[in-house]
Amino acid sequence: MPQWLQAGLWGLLAGGALLLGAWVGYRMRIPARLVAAVMAFGAGVLISALSFELMDEAFKSGGLDSTSLGFVGGAAVYTAANYLLAHRGARHRKRSGDRQPSEQEHEGSGLSIALGALLDGIPESIVIGLSLLKGGAVSTVAVAAIFLSNLPEGLSSAAGMKKAGRGPGYVYGVWGGIALASGLSAIAGFVLFDGSSPEVVAATTAIAAGAILAMLVDTMIPEAFEQAHDFAGLVTVAGFLAAFALSKWGH
């Protein structure tokens, strides 16, 4: 199987967790504290993955300069885009409660929420494609981390969308489209940087890592802390440890 197709399928698998989570969140009544706990666990998993799978590998390949510039640059670009979307109704796109605005309350918020969700998912998917450039095998830790974090993202956001009065066609359309975009982004991550220098790949990986960390702090962690603040830290640590153990498995 061509490696670009492998990248796409792995990206689609990881992105498919968004659609699965959205189906559960829309069809079932899940306690808010349970959603928050899963969100906290997913955040811990991603923090571990970007620390040991992304930043460490970027540093080894490209050195401190390109890694640092990419990391800060990715966070800055994500923050700027998120700021614009937040002021157009997408600020609470991952909240499971009554925080998401309806279209009547904020015209255009539906599109902004969809674009915000897409913004959150692209950096993660690009990482999957980039991981195939290092040794020809996808990073199973990265895929697992993204899958585990995407599941509560889709679940929480879909529950909030339902409470804001958005129908199943909108909810499944948004997350199905983003799952497909995740596969395409993973292909892009492989195809566009195949043959690039280690410094370029390292900088791009660091850009994705910076965007992911900014996304975690801006969107996932607030939802987790709001609903499960008594145990959010402990659950996040558990997620971090699970991903760290997975990254060291077999070493």
Side-chain angles (χ1 to χ4, degrees), residues 5 9 14 30 33 37 43 51 57 69 76 103 111-113 124-125 132 137 144 160 169 175 197 210 244-245:
L5 182 57
L9 292 175
I30 309 296
R33 287 177 68 85
S51 299
E57 289 298 321
L69 287 173
E103 197 66 26
L111 177 60
S112 295
I113 289 171
E124 301 172 344
S125 304
L132 270 167
W175 294 114
S197 68
F244 178 75

Side-chain angles (χ1 to χ4, degrees), residues 81-93:
N82 187 57
Y83 176 84
L84 293 175
L85 290 170
H87 285 75
R88 287 165 173 76
R91 182 181 303 278
H92 302 299
R93 58 185 176 273

Side-chain angles (χ1 to χ4, degrees), residues 153-172:
E153 282 185 50
L155 195 159
S156 178
S157 185
M161 289 175 179
K162 182 177 181 180
K163 290 181 179 179
R166 294 187 165 91
Y170 171 85
V171 174
Y172 300 143

